[in-house]
Amino acid sequence: MNQRFDAIVVGAGQAGPPLAERLGKSGRTVAVIERKLVGGTCVNTGCIPTKAMVASAYVAQTGRRAASYGVLTGSDVRVDMEQVWTRTQGISGRSRSGVEKWLAGMPNVTLLRGHAVFESPHALRVDDTLIEADEIFLNVGGRAVIPDFPGIDTVPYLTNTGILDLRELPKHLVIVGGSYIGLEFGQMFRRFGSEVSIVERSTRLLPREDPEVSAAVVDILQEEGIKLHLGAECIELQGQAGNVSVVAKCADPRMEVRGTHLLLAVGRRANTDSLGLDKAGVATDERGYITVDDQCRTNVEGIWALGDCNGKGAFTHTSYNDYEIVAANLLDNEPRRISDRIAAYALFIDPPLARIGLTEQEALKQGHEIRIGVRPMTRVGRAVERGETLGFMKVIVDEKSEQLLGAAILGVNGDEAIHSLLDVMYAKAPYRTVTHAVHIHPTVSELLPTTLQSLGAVSGGG
Ligand SMILES: Cc1cc2nc3c(=O)[nH]c(=O)nc-3n(C[C@H](O)[C@H](O)[C@H](O)COP(=O)(O)OP(=O)(O)OC[C@H]3O[C@@H](n4cnc5c(N)ncnc54)[C@H](O)[C@@H]3O)c2cc1C
Ligand SMILES: NC(=O)c1ccc[n+]([C@@H]2O[C@H](COP(=O)([O-])OP(=O)(O)OC[C@H]3O[C@@H](n4cnc5c(N)ncnc54)[C@H](O)[C@@H]3O)[C@@H](O)[C@H]2O)c1
C-alpha cells in the first residue's frame, strides 16, 4: 500500500509534535511516524520520570534532616519503591497522554505507528506501507550506549530505561559513568536507601566542567556516602544477577567494585543505524549523528534532522529549539540559527548544577581576557535560611566587551536563578545590566548582582 503526504515527521519526541502542528496548520498534510511511545525519551524514560524520582529522593533527604529544622517526624525515613514507581509512572503517563491527545487534535496530522525506514530520499516504509512526501523531518532521538566491555553479554545490567522499572530497592547499585545520568540516579538511589558506587573512567567527575565544580560535586556526593572510583580504565564485567562486579583492570591500583545491580550510564548514541539513511543518501558523522547545517537541513534537499539525532544538542530544550529554528525558516521567513543558541543546561542533583555559556577553562582557551566573580552559597541569605548552603555561584565576564561569557550556579534554586544571567547574555547587554538591577529579597537571584560587583583580577588573553 502507498500513502502520500506533503510532509513526514519521523519520531514524536520533543521537536516532532510541535513541528507537525505548525506544518498541519500551514495547510500541509502531515504523517507523524512513531515506533514506540509518543513523547520520546524525555517524557517516557528521561527528564520527566527522573525528575519525578529526584523529587521523591529530595523529600526522603529532607525527612532525614527534619530534626535540624525543629521538625520531629518520629521514625526513620524509609522509601517505598513501589509507591515511588507508581507516582513516577503516573506523572510520565499523564504527560504522554497529553501529547497523544494533542497529536490527535492537530488539523491535517495523522499519527502512524511503526518503525520507519527509508526506501528512497522521499519514501519511507512502515511495515507494508510505503509513505511518500517531498518534505521529511527526522526527530529520531537516541538511546543508551552499550559499551563492548568484556562480560557485557553475560552480566545483567540496567540502562536509564530498565532502572525505571525497579519496584524494589537495590541493596548496592554500581554505576559505570559519572556524568548526568550516573550522578542523578546515583544520588537518588542513595537517598532511597541503596549503597551506591560510581565508577568513572576520567580522573574527575564531570570532566567538561571547571575543576572546582567537579571537586564540589565530589564533596556533595561523598558527604551522602556515595563511593566514587575515578580513573577506572579497561573495565570488565563479571558475575550474575544479584552479584555483579566491575573490574577496572588498567586502574592503578586495579579496582574491583561489587554490588547487586549495575547501571550503565556511559553516554548516548543516535537512533540512525536502523533508519536506512544510505537509501536516502543522508550523510552522518563518524559517531552516527546526522550532519546538518545551521538550520537543521541535511545534505539531501527536503530532508531535515532535529533534536538529539543531529548531535548539535543533547537536551529537551535544544531539541525543541531545533523545531523553532526549522519552523521559523520554513514557515515564518525568519532566519533563526542553531549557532545563535547559548549553551545552557542543568544537572539535577541536589543542589543542582546550572551552567550557561563558557566555562572558565573554555573562555581562557578561546583567548578571552576574563574576570571571575565567585560567591559561596554560605553567603546567600536564602540558602542559609533554607539550611541548604552547599555549592557556589561563579560568573565569567569578558574584560573587553564587559559581557557575560558564562556562569555556573551549583546551589539551591540555581537552576532557576541562572536564567536572569542567560537572558542578559541573549540580549548581548553588558554585565552591569545585572549589577544595576534590583532583585527580590530574599532570593538566590538577589546575590547575582553582588557576585558581579566582586569580579577579581583580569586573567588570560595573552
Ligand atoms: C535519564 C535521562 C534524563 C534526562 N534528563 C534531562 C533533563 O533533565 N533535561 C533535559 O533537557 N534533557 C534531559 N535528557 C535528555 C532528553 O531526554 C533528550 O535530549 C530529548 O528527549 C531529545 O529529544 P528528541 O526529540 O531529540 O528525541 P527523543 O525524545 O528521543 O524522541 C525520538 C523519538 O523517535 C522515535 N523513533 C526513533 N527511530 C524511529 C524510527 N525509525 N521510526 C519511528 N520512530 C522512531 C523514538 O521512539 C522516540 O519516540 C535526559 C535523558 C535521559 C536518558
Ligand atoms: N539533567 C539533564 O539535562 C540530563 C540528565 C540525564 C541525561 N541527560 C542527557 O543524556 C546524555 C547522556 O548522559 P550520560 O550521563 O549517559 O552520558 P555523558 O556522555 O554525559 O557521560 C558519560 C560518562 O561516562 C564516562 N564513561 C564513558 N565511557 C566510560 C567507560 N568505558 N568506563 C567508565 N566511564 C566511562 C564518561 O567519562 C562520562 O563521564 C547527556 O549528554 C545529556 O544530554 C541530560
Side-chain angles (χ1 to χ4, degrees):
M1 192 172 74
N2 280 24
Q3 284 190 43
R4 191 155 183 95
F5 292 85
D6 295 321
I8 299 171
V9 176
V10 184
Q14 292 303 305
L19 183 62
E21 182 177 51
R22 284 295 316 274
L23 293 167
K25 283 185 175 166
S26 75
R28 291 165 170 82
T29 55
V30 185
V32 176
I33 308 172
E34 172 54 56
R35 68 180 179 186
K36 211 167 173 205
L37 297 176
V38 159
T41 307
C42 182
V43 168
N44 299 293
T45 57
C47 338
I48 292 183
T50 55
K51 267 79 253 181
M53 291 169 84
V54 161
S56 291
Y58 180 78
V59 173
Q61 189 68 358
T62 307
R64 286 186 192 103
R65 300 178 64 224
S68 67
Y69 293 83
V71 178
L72 306 180
T73 53
S75 64
D76 283 349
V77 170
R78 281 175 298 112
V79 172
D80 179 341
M81 282 306 291
E82 186 75 37
Q83 284 199 45
V84 171
W85 181 87
T86 304
R87 176 180 183 275
T88 301
Q89 291 303 317
I91 291 169
S92 167
R94 283 189 290 281
S95 178
R96 181 170 59 248
S97 332
V99 183
E100 276 163 358
K101 283 197 198 99
W102 180 32
L103 277 166
M106 288 179 191
N108 299 325
V109 176
T110 309
L111 175 62
L112 304 170
R113 299 282 185 169
H115 177 91
V117 185
F118 276 104
E119 289 228 331
S120 66
H122 292 284
L124 288 147
R125 180 164 296 283
V126 180
D127 300 325
D128 52 5
T129 308
L130 195 70
I131 305 163
E132 294 173 287
D134 289 339
E135 294 175 333
I136 297 181
F137 303 89
L138 304 172
N139 175 220
V140 293
R143 62 184 188 275
V145 163
I146 307 302
D148 59 354
F149 295 148
I152 191 82
D153 295 334
T154 53
V155 178
Y157 63 83
L158 301 161
T159 64
N160 67 289
T161 308
I163 198 167
L164 297 177
D165 291 332
L166 289 182
R167 315 276 270 270
E168 285 179 3
L169 196 63
K171 188 166 178 320
H172 187 163
L173 178 63
V174 180
I175 301 174
V176 182
S179 184
Y180 298 88
I181 294 184
L183 300 189
E184 289 184 1
F185 278 116
Q187 189 187 46
M188 163 201 316
F189 274 89
R190 180 66 191 144
R191 289 177 168 200
F192 290 159
S194 299
E195 274 182 68
V196 172
S197 303
I198 298 177
V199 181
E200 162 61 44
R201 182 174 58 191
S202 171
T203 49
R204 65 182 172 97
L205 294 182
L206 304 171
R208 291 183 291 257
E209 304 301 335
D210 284 332
E212 74 271 30
V213 170
S214 299
V217 169
V218 164
D219 288 346
I220 288 164
L221 298 178
Q222 284 182 333
E223 183 62 30
E224 293 192 21
I226 294 171
K227 305 268 181 341
L228 300 174
H229 304 268
L230 306 178
E233 295 275 0
C234 316
I235 284 179
E236 195 172 294
L237 307 178
Q238 295 169 1
Q240 58 280 310
N243 181 14
V244 291
S245 232
V246 174
V247 183
K249 285 169 55 192
C250 310
D252 184 20
R254 180 180 184 272
M255 281 174 205
E256 177 164 2
V257 185
R258 282 169 193 248
T260 54
H261 293 70
L262 171 65
L263 169 67
L264 297 178
V266 294
R268 313 259 314 155
R269 57 176 291 190
N271 287 326
T272 51
D273 46 338
S274 56
L275 199 52
L277 289 176
D278 51 328
K279 296 270 176 54
V282 173
T284 57
D285 68 15
E286 66 287 353
R287 294 180 306 153
Y289 290 106
I290 299 171
T291 313
V292 291
D293 68 8
D294 218 10
Q295 297 173 22
C296 299
R297 289 179 301 205
T298 70
N299 61 312
V300 178
E301 177 80 28
I303 304 182
W304 289 255
L306 304 85
D308 282 11
C309 69
N310 69 22
K312 300 280 186 187
F315 299 98
T316 283
H317 43 278
T318 50
S319 179
Y320 190 82
N321 182 232
D322 283 357
Y323 138 66
E324 294 176 314
I325 289 165
V326 171
N329 282 285
L330 193 65
L331 305 171
D332 302 332
N333 199 23
E334 193 192 346
R336 293 183 67 175
R337 304 264 181 276
I338 297 175
S339 52
D340 292 336
R341 189 153 75 205
I342 297 169
Y345 49 87
L347 167 70
F348 292 97
I349 55 168
D350 171 36
L353 167 66
R355 274 267 306 109
I356 55 171
L358 303 178
T359 62
E360 179 181 350
Q361 288 177 322
E362 287 166 346
L364 291 173
K365 209 167 163 190
Q366 290 183 18
H368 291 277
E369 266 186 83
I370 59 170
R371 295 174 71 198
I372 304 274
V374 179
R375 189 172 191 89
M377 295 304 286
T378 47
R379 294 184 60 217
V380 174
R382 186 62 189 274
V384 174
E385 290 141 17
R386 289 184 53 144
E388 299 182 50
T389 51
L390 296 175
F392 60 89
M393 311 203 247
K394 173 175 177 178
V395 290
I396 303 159
V397 168
D398 184 73
E399 172 66 2
K400 286 209 182 87
S401 68
E402 298 216 323
Q403 287 180 9
L404 271 158
L405 290 172
I409 306 181
L410 173 65
V412 59
N413 292 352
D415 50 335
E416 301 290 348
I418 205 151
H419 288 90
S420 68
L421 300 180
L422 183 59
D423 291 340
V424 168
M425 286 178 74
Y426 272 110
K428 297 189 169 44
Y431 80 91
R432 287 180 209 282
T433 311
V434 183
T435 60
H436 289 37
V438 180
H439 286 186
I440 296 168
H441 173 76
T443 59
V444 171
S445 304
E446 163 192 39
L447 272 305
L448 289 170
T450 319
T451 309
L452 280 160
Q453 280 157 8
S454 62
L455 296 176
V458 177
S459 62

